[in-house]
Amino acid sequence: MTFRRTLLGLAMAATALGFATTAMAQAAYKAEYKMSLVLGPPTPWGMAGKIWADLVKERTQGRINIKLFPGVSLIQGDQTREFSALRQGVIDMAVGSTINWSPQVKELNIFSLPFLMPDYAAVDALTQGEVGRRIFATVDKAGAVPLAWGENGFRELTNSKKPIKTPGDLKGMKIRVVGSPLFSDTFNALGANPTQMSWADAQPALASGAVDGQENPLFLFTVLKMHTVGQKFVTTWGYVADPLIFVVNKEVWASWSKADQEIVRQAAIDAGKQEIVLARKGLTEADKPLLKDIAGMGVTVTSLSPAEREAFVKATRPVYAKWKATIGADLVNTAEKAIAARK
Ligand code: X2X
């Protein structure tokens, strides 16, 4: 029967095509994929990359092999170029901070708005809700495939000079800041003297005293033993927190079979969940053991009362207003609402 023969022919052709496509995709797999990170293991950020790479290798039976390049070494330590390099294919995949990609994706500055997120529930309300979905759509449009959220963390202030309790205490202090100009605006508004530099340059600058202070999540303080480079004072003010985003270059993503794409996506989600637990360890328990560890290093840890914190909030309101417009008032309004409604 002609009809049946045609059907059979079509089925055979489809099968052959299916094999061909699979074979082509398989042939296009690289022997090794390059993953960019600023911080390597044993920091939570580095562990995010390691857990992701290990899960992918195991679940694809080695079809997808990933090598970690911490220190953003694929782009000579210039972390603000990471997103461009990812888009261009110099980097195959990355676990990157929203701060470092903000120069290319302005919406990512939302997490760096001073005092937007008062606690971890606020961070989750953004990344796990509508704001997170809209940001992923923006990252996708900007040229990379976003898969999951992780966390660098709340960025606390450290310095070599004195305890910081008021904006006045920061006056004239040389503070190393990161990536986006929003950070320079925030520290200028507080009367400090901010200097933008990469993390690679920040470490020698702290050691030599070229800068007095910096801001980063506290696990970095203990991992790097920052008290040994003169950082004797810590103020926990929780003014911003940077999430991490797991991403893959678009061409690399398209070269993988649907099944492998799903494996890589699920592995990123699983790694992100595990990493967020690591990033919050010692900071979510009532007695905050990480702060005790730091005090045990001979460091003065200053926690702000709500009234003291409010003085910093007030001083940075104009910066918030300016950047709200840059980021997009609609997105920031959505974020404010999600935070107000958090559990
Ligand atoms: O440079 C920093 O401060 C770091 C390591 O936290 C980031 O890459 C955003």
Side-chain angles (χ1 to χ4, degrees), residues 38-39 45 79 97 99-100 152 155 176 178-179 197-200 214-217 220 242:
V38 179
L39 306 176
W45 188 340
Q79 66 213 57
S97 163
I99 298 172
N100 295 330
N152 192 23
R155 303 178 69 90
R176 174 268 171 173
V178 274
M197 61 179 82
S198 70
W199 181 242
Q214 62 90 44
E215 44 79 61
N216 249 301
L220 206 55
D242 52 330

Side-chain angles (χ1 to χ4, degrees), residues 52-207:
W52 188 23
D54 288 349
L55 287 176
V56 167
K57 184 169 189 171
E58 184 193 314
R59 294 177 187 174
T60 62
Q61 279 101 38
R63 276 192 303 286
I64 297 177
N65 258 303
I66 302 163
K67 186 173 175 197
L68 272 54
F69 290 82
V72 262
S73 57
L74 296 166
I75 42 170
Q76 295 76 47
D78 190 355
Q79 66 213 57
T80 54
R81 279 182 38 225
E82 190 177 54
F83 194 78
S84 307
L86 178 78
R87 206 157 38 188
Q88 290 156 7
V90 174
I91 291 169
D92 295 317
M93 53 213 297
V95 181
S97 163
T98 50
I99 298 172
N100 295 330
W101 302 349
S102 297
Q104 290 82 34
V105 188
K106 69 175 178 7
E107 289 83 355
L108 293 177
N109 280 296
I110 196 166
F111 299 101
S112 306
L113 278 175
F115 303 102
L116 167 67
M117 300 176 291
D119 49 32
Y120 286 118
V123 177
D124 295 341
L126 300 194
T127 59
Q128 306 308 308
E130 189 191 335
V131 168
R133 282 191 296 279
R134 281 172 64 177
I135 286 191
F136 270 18
T138 307
V139 168
D140 187 82
K141 231 170 130 198
V145 183
L147 299 177
W149 294 96
E151 186 163 285
N152 192 23
F154 276 101
R155 303 178 69 90
E156 313 296 8
L157 191 59
T158 80
N159 83 92
S160 60
K161 299 278 185 212
K162 61 179 181 190
I164 307 282
K165 276 204 141 187
T166 67
D169 294 330
L170 263 172
K171 196 164 175 42
M173 213 180 254
K174 272 183 261 155
I175 305 290
R176 174 268 171 173
V177 293
V178 274
S180 165
L182 166 47
F183 286 83
S184 301
D185 285 358
T186 297
F187 281 87
N188 277 323
L190 292 169
N193 179 6
T195 314
Q196 193 179 312
M197 61 179 82
S198 70
W199 181 242
D201 292 338
Q203 296 172 77
L206 287 167

